[in-house]
Amino acid sequence: MTRTIIDVDDDALALAARHLGTTTKKDTVNAALREVADRRRRAAAIQRMREMVADGEIDLAGSDEEGQIGGAA
């Protein structure tokens, strides 16, 4: 882990800590960085799935309203 000195927006940090459930500045910053990376990774996966559906590689015609294939939970 790298030690870095930065200026941080205190209000944004407090808000992020509340949303993330963290109690220290270090935990909040690290959780926020992971959250951003995870969201980008998930967004890229969703985009790949959309492309696969558009290309006919995945057929969602058999899924029900909740997205369950074959209507089973």
Side-chain angles (χ1 to χ4, degrees):
M1 188 171 290
T2 303
R3 184 171 181 88
T4 303
I5 298 173
I6 59 172
D7 293 325
V8 176
D9 180 324
D10 291 328
D11 293 334
L13 185 67
L15 183 59
R18 280 195 299 275
H19 285 296
L20 295 167
T22 54
T23 56
T24 67
K25 291 178 182 180
K26 177 182 174 181
D27 287 345
T28 302
V29 170
N30 285 325
L33 293 171
R34 283 190 299 275
E35 177 77 17
V36 169
D38 288 346
R39 284 179 183 231
R40 295 289 175 118
R41 181 184 46 77
R42 287 190 302 268
I46 290 169
Q47 182 58 36
R48 284 192 305 274
M49 292 283 290
R50 286 182 176 144
E51 291 168 3
M52 292 173 77
V53 168
D55 292 343
E57 296 177 47
I58 297 175
D59 181 10
L60 298 178
S63 65
D64 65 12
E65 292 158 7
E66 286 88 33
Q68 299 292 324
I69 303 300

